[in-house]
Amino acid sequence: MGHGAESVLDPDLGDHVCLPFEDERERMAATRAFTVNGLRRRSLVVIVTHADSPERTRDWLAPLVPGFAEAVSAGQVEILSSAETHFTDGAFDPARVYAGLAEANDRARRHGRHGVYALVDASWGVGDVPGHAAFEAAANELFAQRWLAAVCQYDRRLFPRDDLDRASSVHPIAPEQALLRFAGTVSPRGLRVWGDIDLTNRPAFASLLEGLEKEPGEVVIDVSELGFIDVGSAQLLTLTAMARPRGATVVVCRDPVARVLRLIRADAFVVVRRVGDV
């Protein structure tokens, strides 16, 4: 189920990726690859710097990316500092982050771009790791709309191992952990997930389910395309159902997941709808 850094640098829209790096050479190589892939996908590429300045980033990145100057001139590449995107008067401002991303999506749509490809230097959050991780988890709901792909770069020299593990676990995708993709659904309200869920990305899955707990009507969680879900992650479906009106939480799944739900007695709270094996 694991995957390497190379694959996560070519994310699909909807992917929220944690990417640790060892040194400047590795960070720069990842930035180059991400930018090239975003341009190939005809997305709006937004690079948010922190340890480096936008000017310096532009200087070293330009020779590495074919057509970079033209892409910047055409507005297909934007390089911004975290002070411009994440902070107001020196204080972290989540509302500013969300507003900035929504505005980037508007610009992308106006210019015929294919969504927003964002690369973020996560060292902006070194001073408040618990708050940083909570923000990353809460942001997952935004990715369910499938117009945004983001790779958050974490400097191993700045983040202790425990903090990196925490950050990785609230991202649905990171190198060498299970890969989870998802999309929000509207009628009925719910969530479609595919890939794999285990201990490595279970907190990310929990953050997606948390957003459904206060929905007033029926919620449908479609896990029929999951390759694997462990027992602990399946129990989260039970907890979600227990937090909602009885009988109002439906899980659509195939027989292997249905067996897991039956094993943990989730079917006492969850309405299980099986789909036939293909």
Side-chain angles (χ1 to χ4, degrees):
M1 290 187 293
H3 47 283
E6 186 173 327
S7 63
V8 302
L9 286 168
D10 191 15
D12 292 339
L13 293 178
D15 288 356
H16 185 199
V17 178
C18 175
L19 182 60
F21 64 89
E22 299 286 351
D23 53 35
E24 288 305 290
R25 178 177 294 184
E26 191 174 326
R27 179 179 72 86
M28 293 167 72
T31 302
R32 182 206 65 81
F34 180 88
T35 304
V36 168
N37 290 329
L39 293 177
R40 174 180 52 79
R41 288 175 177 256
R42 296 176 31 251
S43 299
L44 169 59
V45 178
V46 178
I47 299 172
V48 178
T49 68
H50 185 80
D52 220 349
S53 69
E55 295 75 21
R56 180 174 148 84
T57 300
R58 192 177 296 110
D59 288 345
W60 63 253
L61 186 59
L64 305 178
V65 177
F68 182 82
E70 295 84 351
V72 171
S73 297
Q76 193 177 358
V77 175
E78 301 176 359
I79 305 180
L80 308 167
S81 71
S82 61
E84 300 172 81
T85 60
H86 284 60
F87 295 89
T88 298
D89 297 328
F92 175 53
D93 186 350
R96 186 174 189 182
V97 179
Y98 292 131
L101 290 170
E103 290 166 4
N105 186 38
D106 288 342
R107 291 194 297 279
R109 292 167 65 92
R110 285 199 306 271
H111 293 93
R113 312 292 184 207
H114 186 55
V116 177
Y117 238 53
L119 182 75
V120 181
D121 178 355
S123 59
W124 65 264
V126 167
D128 179 17
V129 171
H132 187 179
F135 167 73
E136 295 277 28
N140 283 326
E141 192 170 355
L142 179 65
F143 290 84
Q145 300 172 22
R146 308 293 297 175
W147 55 263
L148 171 66
V151 171
C152 305
Q153 292 182 296
Y154 282 78
D155 190 337
R156 293 186 185 276
R157 298 166 299 181
L158 299 178
F159 290 90
R161 176 61 185 270
D162 287 350
D163 293 341
L164 271 178
D165 288 346
R166 180 188 303 181
S168 293
S169 70
V170 297
H171 286 77
I173 300 174
E176 311 309 327
Q177 76 176 32
L179 185 152
L180 170 63
R181 289 188 165 111
F182 52 94
T185 55
V186 177
S187 183
R189 176 86 161 91
L191 186 69
R192 183 171 66 89
V193 298
W194 61 101
D196 301 293
I197 309 171
D198 63 15
L199 182 62
T200 63
N201 59 5
R202 188 185 298 165
F205 184 49
S207 72
L208 295 169
L209 296 177
E210 185 178 351
L212 299 175
E213 290 185 0
K214 295 182 181 178
E215 284 297 314
E218 182 181 78
V219 162
V220 176
I221 304 167
D222 185 347
V223 298
S224 61
E225 297 177 68
L226 270 184
F228 175 80
I229 186 169
D230 68 335
V231 170
S233 301
Q235 287 174 330
L236 296 176
L237 294 169
T238 309
L239 294 174
T240 299
M242 292 174 67
R244 307 190 66 255
R246 196 173 188 89
T249 305
V250 177
V251 174
V252 178
C253 61
R254 298 186 182 276
D255 284 344
V257 174
R259 285 196 293 271
V260 173
L261 294 175
R262 195 162 52 244
L263 176 69
I264 62 175
R265 302 185 185 278
D267 49 359
F269 304 94
V270 173
V271 178
V272 179
R273 292 183 189 159
R274 295 183 184 83
V275 294
D277 290 330
V278 177

